Amino acid sequence: QVQLVQSGAEVKKPGASVKVSCKASGYTLSNHGISWVRQAPGQGLEWMGWVSTYNGNTNYIQEFQGRVTMTTDTSTNTAYMELRSLLSDDTAVYYCARGGSGWSLDYWGQGTLVTVPS
Amino acid sequence: QSGLTQPPSASGSPGQSVTISCTGTSSDVGGYNYVSWYQQHPGKAPKLMIYEVSKRPSGVPDRFSGSKSGNTASLTVSGLQAEDEADYYCNSYAGSNNLRVFGGGTKLTVL
C-alpha cells in the first residue's frame, strides 16, 4: 500500500535551516509529483510548492521563493524539503503529499513538527 | 495568490445534510475542474474526500458529494454521522506550473 513516512520532529534556532524527508513506499516515486503543505498551530493548510519527481522541476509560492528548496532522490524513493533562515512564524507541522488525479493530493505523510522558538 | 474563501464553521444534527462552500476566482475554482476536498481530524493528516469537483476516491462514503457553479465549489455531507465532525478544506489548481491554493477551512460540528 502507498505510504509516505516523514522524518521526526525538529527544534531549530531562528536563522537556522531545517531539512524534512519524506520516504515513499508502495509505488514508484517518479510517477507522481510531491507537494509540501504546512499548518501553523491552530491554523489552516498552506500549500508551499511542488517538485516533479520525474525531472526535478519545482514551483514554489512567492512567500517561500529564495528560502525553500524541494528535491527528490529516486534512488531511495525519498523527497526532501529544506527551509532556510527560519523565523518563529515558521513553527508548523510540515506535510508531504503525493500528487493524484486531477491535481489532488491523494496520499499524505504523517507530518513533521518544526519548532522555532522566538 | 489569495486563498479560497470558506465559512469558518458549519453544523448539523445526525442524519441531516450540510453544505460547505468554497469561493475562488476565474483563475482557480472557476477556471478548472480541479477542485478537491480534504477532511482533517484533530492531530491527524488530511484525507482526500473529493477530487475533480465531484469524484470520490475508493473508500470514501457516497454520503460525501461535490459540485461547482462558476467560481464557487461545494461539499455536501448527507446523513451526518458523529465521525464526520472534522475540519474540511477545499483546494484548487491555479494554473501557472502546478500552483495550488487552499481554502481557510471549515469546522464541521455534528450537534
Side-chain angles (χ1 to χ4, degrees), chain A residues 100-105, chain B residues 4 22 25-38 48 50-56 66-74 90-95 99-101:
Chain A
S101 300
W103 305 106
S104 66
L105 302 172
Chain B
L4 308 177
C22 169
T25 69
S26 58
S27 296
D28 38 62
V29 174
Y32 309 94
N33 286 323
Y34 294 135
V35 176
S36 50
W37 289 88
Y38 302 85
L48 177 64
I50 295 287
Y51 67 99
E52 291 181 31
V53 175
S54 60
K55 298 179 180 178
R56 276 188 312 277
S67 62
K68 192 187 86 166
S69 177
N71 295 337
T72 298
S74 298
C90 62
N91 180 275
S92 176
Y93 177 73
L99 278 177
R100 327 277 177 89
V101 61

Side-chain angles (χ1 to χ4, degrees), chain A residues 39 47 50 59 102-103 105, chain B residues 34 38 40 96-98 100:
Chain A
Q39 186 170 36
W47 187 81
W50 163 91
N59 193 16
W103 305 106
L105 302 172
Chain B
Y34 294 135
Y38 302 85
Q40 186 181 36
S96 300
N97 193 20
N98 294 305
R100 327 277 177 89

Side-chain angles (χ1 to χ4, degrees), chain A residues 29-53:
Chain A
L29 186 70
S30 57
N31 288 347
H32 298 263
I34 293 286
S35 283
W36 289 88
V37 177
R38 79 175 185 179
Q39 186 170 36
Q43 302 301 308
L45 303 175
E46 179 180 30
W47 187 81
M48 299 174 65
W50 163 91
V51 56
S52 166
T53 54

Side-chain angles (χ1 to χ4, degrees), chain B residues 1-83:
Chain B
Q1 191 71 31
S2 298
L4 308 177
T5 300
Q6 297 181 233
S9 63
S11 62
S13 299
Q16 289 186 332
S17 294
V18 64
T19 297
I20 298 169
S21 63
C22 169
T23 301
T25 69
S26 58
S27 296
D28 38 62
V29 174
Y32 309 94
N33 286 323
Y34 294 135
V35 176
S36 50
W37 289 88
Y38 302 85
Q39 177 191 65
Q40 186 181 36
H41 288 109
K44 300 294 188 181
K47 175 187 175 183
L48 177 64
M49 304 300 284
I50 295 287
Y51 67 99
E52 291 181 31
V53 175
S54 60
K55 298 179 180 178
R56 276 188 312 277
S58 173
V60 172
D62 60 7
R63 303 184 293 103
F64 291 85
S65 62
S67 62
K68 192 187 86 166
S69 177
N71 295 337
T72 298
S74 298
L75 172 72
T76 298
V77 186
S78 305
L80 273 173
Q81 298 183 5
E83 64 258 33

Side-chain angles (χ1 to χ4, degrees), chain A residues 4-108:
Chain A
L4 298 173
V5 179
Q6 299 182 221
S7 48
E10 303 259 16
V11 179
K12 295 291 184 180
K13 293 183 179 179
S17 299
V18 68
K19 191 170 187 177
V20 179
S21 67
C22 170
K23 184 168 178 62
S25 61
Y27 78 102
T28 301
L29 186 70
S30 57
N31 288 347
H32 298 263
I34 293 286
S35 283
W36 289 88
V37 177
R38 79 175 185 179
Q39 186 170 36
Q43 302 301 308
L45 303 175
E46 179 180 30
W47 187 81
M48 299 174 65
W50 163 91
V51 56
S52 166
T53 54
Y54 175 71
N55 59 16
N57 285 350
T58 55
N59 193 16
Y60 312 132
I61 63 172
Q62 191 168 6
E63 176 184 349
F64 297 106
Q65 286 183 6
R67 209 160 66 90
V68 71
T69 302
M70 298 176 186
T71 57
T72 62
D73 182 348
T74 53
S75 68
T76 59
N77 253 24
T78 304
Y80 298 92
M81 186 282 297
E82 182 181 34
L83 188 61
R84 299 176 292 278
S85 302
L86 290 168
L87 306 169
S88 57
D89 286 349
D90 293 318
T91 293
V93 176
Y94 290 77
Y95 293 101
C96 61
R98 191 183 85 160
S101 300
W103 305 106
S104 66
L105 302 172
D106 60 358
Y107 288 91
W108 293 65

